[in-house]
Each structure stands twice: as structure tokens, then as C-alpha cells.
Amino acid sequence: MSSRWKYVAGTLVLLTVAYALVIAGQILLGVIAAVGIYGTGWLFATFRPADGYIEALGWGRVAVLTLIALVNLTYAVVIANQLLLGIIAVWVIALLGFVVAPGGPLTEAREFYDRLRRVDRYIREQEGELTDGGWNDDADADTDDADEWGTTDDTDEEVGWERERDD
């Protein structure tokens, strides 16, 4: 991980705190924004996608997030006259957009969890701990207990909402 993000985040933190103290007069809001900016810089540096942020989010998602952020910032500056609050709103929009993106940290965490489940299943199969609970009248059946959807994990396929029905 490069340390360049520290310089960028540090500069933005100083500018935010200076604005909050000198112009806005809202030190608590400035400190909250500064902590959020630094944490976001760390998150972006830690979970940096190999092909870039825009490609990780997708062009459609970037366009929608940009439009929402511009509308929020325009409202905060023109109508509410609260630039700092507008910057915090844009920061939250960008952060949530990145975290829930297909190439973001939540997706990586889900894939990591799925890999852990497959490793656990493999280990339990090797140790002979998996049984079907007597459902198939076969004491030697090697199936996992039903998961939260009421299905069993007999294959390596993804099972969930995207699965097509046999109707």
C-alpha cells in the first residue's frame, strides 16, 4: 500500500478543519468530517481495485452517484447555505457507493466468507462429520445441513436469488 494516500488525506483533513474553524465556526462538524475523510482515504488505499475505482463501480453507477452528489452539494450550498454539511453528504454518498459496488469491500468480504465456508465444508467432509440428518434414509449420505434458505449445499454453484426456477 502506497503512503501517498496519507498526504492527500492529511491535506484534505487540514483544509476541512481549517474551514470548519475559520469560516463555518462548526468545530464538531469539522472534526467529524475530518475523521471521515481520513477513514475514507485509508479504506480507498486498503481496498484499491486493480483496474481502478471507476471500473470497479461501473460507469452507470458512477454517473448516478455523481448526479446525486451534485444535487446534494448544490442544495447544501444554495438553499441551506451549509457547505460543510454538503461536503459530508457527498462524502457519505461516495463512500457508500464504493463500499457496496461490485468491486468494493463488501463484495470482497462476501467472497472471502464463501471461500471460508467451502474450506470448512471440505474439512468436515474429510473428517466425516457431514450427514443429511436422516432425510434420505441413507446413513452414508454426505450432504450439509440445510442453510438459512432451506436448501443444501450439494454443489459449488451459487444458490440464492439469482437462481432460476424450474417452473
Side-chain angles (χ1 to χ4, degrees):
M1 173 171 36
S2 172
S3 65
R4 187 174 62 194
W5 74 271
K6 291 180 184 178
Y7 297 118
V8 173
T11 304
L12 289 174
V13 164
L14 287 175
L15 288 173
T16 304
V17 170
Y19 176 81
L21 281 172
V22 176
I23 298 173
Q26 298 175 340
I27 185 64
L28 183 59
L29 202 53
V31 169
I32 291 171
V35 168
I37 288 170
Y38 190 81
T40 303
W42 173 83
L43 184 73
F44 280 15
T46 303
F47 293 100
R48 181 180 176 145
D51 54 351
Y53 295 110
I54 293 177
E55 287 77 16
L57 268 70
W59 285 101
R61 187 180 303 242
V62 168
V64 169
L65 288 173
T66 302
L67 180 66
I68 292 171
L70 285 175
V71 167
N72 274 306
L73 190 59
T74 303
Y75 175 82
V77 171
V78 174
I79 296 174
N81 201 16
Q82 293 285 327
L83 178 63
L84 193 56
L85 199 56
I87 290 171
I88 291 174
V90 168
W91 161 69
V92 168
I93 291 167
L95 179 66
L96 290 177
F98 173 67
V99 167
V100 300
L106 258 158
T107 305
E108 288 183 20
R110 175 64 185 177
E111 290 169 358
F112 180 73
Y113 173 72
D114 289 342
R115 283 192 302 266
L116 284 179
R117 283 189 64 195
R118 285 194 296 271
V119 167
D120 179 55
R121 178 177 169 75
Y122 176 77
I123 290 171
R124 290 190 303 153
E125 283 176 350
Q126 297 303 316
E127 294 176 353
E129 293 180 11
L130 291 180
T131 64
D132 68 347
W135 287 93
N136 296 325
D137 293 330
D138 185 8
D140 297 329
D142 228 5
T143 59
D144 199 357
D145 295 331
D147 61 9
E148 63 269 11
W149 300 104
T151 60
T152 57
D153 292 332
D154 291 348
T155 65
D156 290 334
E157 296 175 1
E158 288 291 323
V159 178
W161 294 105
E162 66 274 359
R163 184 174 176 182
E164 294 183 21
R165 291 185 175 189
D166 296 328
D167 299 347

